[in-house]
Amino acid sequence: MDFMFTQEQEAIARVARRVLGDHCSPRDVRAAFEGELPGAGARWDAIAAAGIAGLCIPEVYGGQGLGPVEMVLVLEEAGRVCLPDPLLETAWLVPALLLEAGTDEQQRRWLPRIATGEVVASLRAPGSELVVAMDRCGLVLWTDDHGWSLAEVPSLPSVSRRSLDRGLGLGRITDRELDREPISGEVGDPTLIARIATGSAALLNGLSDWLMAVTTRHVRTREQFGRPIGSFQAVKHMLAEVATDLHAARVATWFAAEALSRVASEAHEAADIARWTAASAALLASDAALQLHGGIGFTWEHDLHLWMKRVSALVHLYGGHEQSLSRIESRVCDDLVDAAQKQEAR
Amino acid sequence: LDLRERPDQRRFRADLRAWLGEHVPRSPLPPLSTVDGVRAHVAWERRLTAAGYTGVHWPLEYGGQGKDAVTSAIFEEEYARAGAPERANVVGLRLVGPALMAYGTDPQRHRHLPAILGCDELWSQGFSEPEAGSDLAAVRTRASRDGDHLVVTGEKIWTTLGVHADWILALVRTGSGERRHDGLTLLLVDMRTEGVERRPIVQVNADAGFAQITFNEVRVPEDQVVGSVGQGWTVAMHVLTVERGAGTVSHAWLEQDLRATIALARERGRLEEPLVRRELALLRVQVQRYRFSNLRALCLTDHGIDPGPEASINKLLWSETRKRIYRLGAELRGEDGLLDAQGPEDSEWQRQYWYSRAATIYGGSSQIQKNIIAERLLGLPR
């Protein structure tokens, strides 16, 4: 049993941190938030060139052939810089769906283009109505009564500029707008849901880590009553509680990714636990950050709100953390009890 | 990142499970706070020793099993699941043993380590004092030199097993020192020495688990100093890191408590209540996240990396979770919990309920842990 990352995994996280840090500054996040797309193309090219877009795509299709553990390390870095691009969807969710259920032809057509960065992909997940990156995705997958379908998207008009996190390019699609092409294979919804939960958790952990870092720096330097406010226990304990929750959330996310990578029986529950703990930690981090920055953090001008709004979006997107907790609840209160009753009956 | 158990770990687990299944006493032993209880628990400890299940994490050269931290945690996990008795010599095995391995002399190791493993010496920890709780460096018990002896006078309090222990690891003040941490020394004190008095303290759960220990000019040979005179703070901090550190408390204890609480909710027909269900789900999350976090710290330990402030995070995670599980249990019992215990199982639950509320105080209170996290992990000013 080894809960440590390999040198290769650590190197992948380092590269992701450097590339994302170089190409996604707070200024870029703000530009995306204001609805400016020009920088997005160059940024995505750099991400693809570093092998990040094709991280989970097999080498025969031009990807790196890596798995969930590497993916969550990279997604945490994407969360840290508040990356506006749909990395979770393009690099993990869509390729995994195509690999599981797509035809050879569909895989050959789309996977290489995703790996090179030519195509950004998105999806409408079960239990969700929204699609991210509506303004820039070239491929979208969705599920309805007819099962899973995919469509090439030349351009989609229906992006809502009035969403909470305008950088994400959130919108709704209606089936009428698209030329449906069915995906015939069997899609394991629980596994997709587990990937969404684990990936969202990793993104949230990155966001929380940035919020913690910025807030810790602020309370170390901001003085009131003649001393740094970070020397007051009320402030210390607030941040210590966030640090505790965040540590637990990161460890839970790594655990879930490892379980997913070897299709372990507890992967689905671990993913839900990761998502719930990461969402709780992020909400707490967001609250502490705003509270401890005081007035300046409440301004449009400060970057804090960009990260806080991303937290809100990721907490509620794709069915939200509430659905994760509901599943945990029925496992604990129904499944385990059923098992106990069966055992008693025997 | 590979969370599969190694073949040797799987084998260790299977063998242990079989052994425990055969040997764990069917009915609970009398409590450790009684003379009968101590006798029964010591006998149980010796069966563990004979079977090779004591000192799992101790190095082979000191008579231990030489297992890594993860395997040692597998032991704790199986032990908890089997419902085996409370461990009697935790202070000896977790504090005194490791302190002597790191800082003791050869004669001290020869004398005490086998006696701890064989449970021939029951140990207690003499750190807290009436005026030194969270502020441990404020200890006032003094030891002054007289020839080749140190003469100890002062008071220790909240000493677990203090009434029955044979030995005590005492933190005493030997010098004034520029900084108050410098003048401290750790001593191995035989409780039968003249001038040692013990008075039981009855806890809120009606157990006399603690004691107040008075040292009245107790003469301790100087070869009973651990490390050197004035090195007490360093050794004590080492010991406390071990106490808080990885694997001290198995998630399996929390799992057992939670399972019992789910069963209680079912028995009382309250498993359909939305608030009860929600709280059980949240507790499941709390228990699992502690499991993951503890596992991470164990693996760091096995790689020779000190988990540092992560130990404080883990202490907060398990102690707060334990309290919350028992709080739900009390809610489920409702009015019935107000009557005197109905039978031994109920009485054990009552005892544990109150004891769960000590968890956020002992071993460094939650407030102290948060200070450690804020100052050492986040670098906030003192």
Side-chain angles (χ1 to χ4, degrees):
Chain A
M1 223 187 280
D2 203 356
F3 212 152
M4 310 286 281
F5 297 105
T6 62
Q7 284 182 350
E8 290 77 19
Q9 288 166 339
E10 281 175 0
I12 286 164
R14 258 197 318 276
V15 167
R17 189 171 202 157
R18 185 173 48 72
V19 171
L20 291 164
D22 286 350
H23 292 89
C24 186
S25 68
R27 189 197 299 251
D28 297 321
V29 176
R30 187 172 288 268
F33 195 86
E34 304 289 355
E36 293 170 20
L37 283 174
R43 180 170 65 235
W44 194 256
D45 287 345
I47 288 170
I52 295 173
L55 200 78
C56 296
I57 291 173
E59 284 164 274
V60 288
Y61 296 121
Q64 294 207 61
L66 297 169
V69 174
E70 290 80 10
M71 197 68 233
V72 296
L73 290 173
V74 170
L75 285 169
E76 182 170 333
E77 299 307 327
R80 190 187 315 284
V81 298
C82 202
L83 184 75
D85 312 306
L87 185 64
L88 167 60
E89 293 76 9
T90 306
W92 195 12
L93 303 179
V94 167
L97 277 172
L98 288 174
L99 285 165
E100 266 167 22
T103 61
D104 280 355
E105 198 275 322
Q106 285 166 337
Q107 294 177 7
R108 269 200 313 273
R109 181 150 52 102
W110 292 107
L111 293 176
R113 294 168 70 190
I114 291 174
T116 56
E118 184 192 331
V119 168
V120 167
S122 189
L123 86 165
R124 190 176 78 195
S128 169
E129 298 203 341
L130 296 178
V131 174
V132 298
M134 284 283 282
D135 44 7
R136 74 203 94 140
C137 69
L139 169 68
V140 67
L141 274 65
W142 76 100
T143 173
D144 56 20
D145 297 342
H146 309 289
W148 279 90
S149 309
L150 67 75
E152 188 163 2
V153 197
S155 68
L156 283 168
S158 49
V159 176
S160 171
R161 290 258 159 264
R162 295 166 62 84
S163 60
L164 172 81
D165 180 348
R166 292 184 283 183
L168 277 181
L170 286 172
R172 293 173 202 272
I173 46 169
T174 55
D175 304 351
R176 283 185 301 278
E177 295 173 63
L178 302 164
D179 287 333
R180 171 196 304 274
E181 180 185 320
I183 296 175
S184 50
E186 195 68 23
V187 171
D189 274 4
T191 305
L192 171 64
I193 288 168
R195 283 191 204 110
I196 291 174
T198 307
S200 306
L203 287 166
L204 283 162
N205 293 338
L207 290 161
S208 300
D209 208 48
W210 184 89
L211 288 165
M212 275 293 287
V214 166
T215 308
T216 305
R217 212 176 312 141
H218 177 72
V219 302
R220 272 201 298 248
T221 48
R222 166 74 175 166
E223 292 198 0
Q224 289 287 275
F225 306 102
R227 50 198 285 206
I229 60 172
S231 64
F232 296 113
Q233 278 194 332
V235 172
K236 280 183 180 171
H237 288 191
M238 197 181 222
L239 287 174
E241 283 162 20
V242 181
T244 300
D245 279 7
L246 175 55
H247 171 80
R250 296 179 79 200
V251 173
T253 305
W254 300 337
F255 188 96
E258 198 273 348
L260 266 175
S261 71
R262 56 188 170 86
V263 207
S265 57
E266 62 179 339
H268 297 163
E269 192 195 20
D272 283 325
I273 289 172
R275 179 155 199 193
W276 178 263
T277 52
S280 308
L283 290 169
L284 199 66
S286 174
D287 210 31
L290 185 56
Q291 183 68 23
L292 295 175
H293 273 82
I296 186 69
F298 202 66
T299 61
W300 191 264
E301 174 196 350
H302 199 286
D303 291 332
L304 207 53
H305 74 109
L306 303 172
W307 268 255
M308 292 196 299
K309 286 169 183 169
R310 182 66 53 80
V311 166
S312 292
L314 291 177
V315 162
H316 298 295
L317 200 59
Y318 299 136
H321 66 150
E322 268 295 318
Q323 282 193 0
S324 282
L325 190 63
S326 294
R327 281 191 293 269
I328 295 165
E329 189 180 299
S330 54
R331 279 186 206 105
V332 168
C333 298
D334 305 328
D335 301 359
L336 296 183
V337 170
D338 286 352
Q341 273 164 343
K342 263 180 220 146
Q343 202 161 11
E344 271 168 31
R346 227 181 282 147
Chain B
L1 206 62
D2 181 358
L3 299 176
R4 284 169 299 185
E5 276 173 12
R6 293 193 312 256
D8 65 296
Q9 289 169 333
R10 273 203 303 277
R11 217 163 30 241
F12 177 84
R13 187 191 284 282
D15 291 349
L16 172 62
R17 189 176 288 179
W19 189 88
L20 289 167
E22 209 171 303
H23 293 89
V24 167
R26 299 257 176 267
S27 50
L29 305 181
L32 253 177
S33 51
T34 61
V35 175
D36 284 350
V38 170
R39 198 173 299 133
H41 280 81
V42 167
W44 165 250
E45 286 292 327
R46 289 185 179 146
R47 299 185 78 175
L48 279 175
T49 309
Y53 286 127
T54 307
V56 177
H57 189 30
W58 281 26
L60 292 168
E61 55 173 314
Y62 297 121
Q65 306 302 315
K67 303 289 188 201
D68 56 23
V70 169
T71 307
S72 169
I74 291 173
F75 174 85
E76 300 296 337
E77 204 180 306
E78 289 299 324
Y79 193 88
R81 285 196 185 136
E86 192 178 339
R87 300 300 302 273
N89 213 4
V90 176
V91 173
L93 289 167
R94 288 211 177 267
L95 304 185
V96 182
L100 292 182
M101 290 175 214
Y103 296 95
T105 62
D106 277 339
Q108 286 172 347
R109 291 174 185 158
H110 285 306
R111 156 136 204 205
H112 296 293
L113 295 182
I116 290 170
L117 285 175
C119 210
D120 300 320
E121 287 176 357
L122 270 186
W123 279 83
S124 59
Q125 177 188 8
F127 283 16
S128 293
E129 294 185 6
E131 300 300 328
S134 287
D135 184 10
L136 186 57
V139 297
R140 292 178 178 181
T141 295
R142 275 211 78 83
S144 35
R145 184 172 286 279
D146 180 21
D148 54 5
H149 279 68
L150 291 162
V151 182
V152 183
T153 296
E155 258 177 43
K156 293 289 173 186
I157 200 160
W158 322 133
T159 311
T160 300
L161 215 63
V163 178
H164 304 285
D166 305 301
W167 286 79
I168 186 167
L169 180 70
L171 186 65
V172 300
R173 187 161 296 286
T174 39
S176 47
E178 276 288 287
R179 297 185 312 133
R180 59 196 187 125
H181 300 83
D182 294 342
L184 297 172
T185 300
L186 264 183
L187 291 177
L188 309 169
V189 183
D190 186 339
M191 294 286 265
R192 285 154 301 191
T193 321
E194 204 186 324
V196 178
E197 274 172 42
R198 16 183 158 194
R199 184 178 70 81
I201 300 173
V202 180
Q203 302 167 171
V204 287
N205 63 0
D207 257 3
F210 295 150
Q212 180 161 17
I213 314 287
T214 310
F215 298 105
N216 200 356
E217 297 190 10
V218 175
R219 296 179 64 82
V220 179
E222 66 177 354
D223 60 10
Q224 302 280 49
V225 170
V226 184
S228 55
V229 170
Q231 204 190 2
W233 185 256
T234 310
V235 186
M237 285 304 106
H238 172 82
V239 160
L240 288 179
T241 311
V242 175
E243 182 188 15
R244 262 171 223 158
T248 316
V249 174
S250 174
H251 73 276
W253 291 109
L254 300 174
E255 261 178 5
Q256 295 280 98
D257 290 341
L258 181 56
R259 203 169 297 137
T261 310
I262 296 168
L264 182 67
R266 182 161 65 100
E267 275 161 39
R268 297 195 156 241
R270 299 188 58 184
L271 205 51
E272 299 304 320
E273 280 177 39
L275 287 179
V276 171
R277 294 171 66 84
R278 179 51 48 109
E279 181 65 2
L280 287 170
L282 290 169
L283 285 169
R284 169 79 181 166
V285 171
Q286 301 273 324
V287 172
Q288 290 300 102
R289 72 176 190 160
Y290 170 64
R291 174 185 160 211
F292 305 150
S293 186
N294 192 39
L295 184 57
R296 164 78 177 176
L298 290 163
C299 290
L300 287 176
T301 307
D302 280 338
H303 281 264
I305 303 166
D306 176 6
E310 281 184 29
S312 291
I313 287 177
N314 285 337
K315 164 85 206 294
L316 278 178
L317 291 177
W318 73 255
S319 60
E320 301 287 347
T321 301
R322 182 167 157 79
K323 234 163 61 164
R324 194 164 153 185
I325 293 172
Y326 277 92
R327 192 161 63 220
L328 177 61
E331 293 292 337
L332 292 169
R333 277 160 192 262
E335 211 174 45
D336 293 346
L338 303 180
L339 294 173
D340 278 347
Q342 317 284 305
E345 209 172 294
D346 197 24
S347 136
E348 178 59 17
W349 188 88
Q350 300 277 2
R351 210 170 73 87
Q352 292 296 338
Y353 166 75
W354 287 102
Y355 199 55
S356 77
R357 298 180 64 170
T360 50
I361 302 172
Y362 62 69
S365 69
S366 291
Q367 285 66 37
I368 292 294
Q369 308 298 349
K370 286 178 193 173
N371 284 351
I372 292 173
I373 294 164
E375 287 162 17
R376 300 196 202 148
L377 192 69
L378 305 178
L380 296 185
R382 291 178 69 85

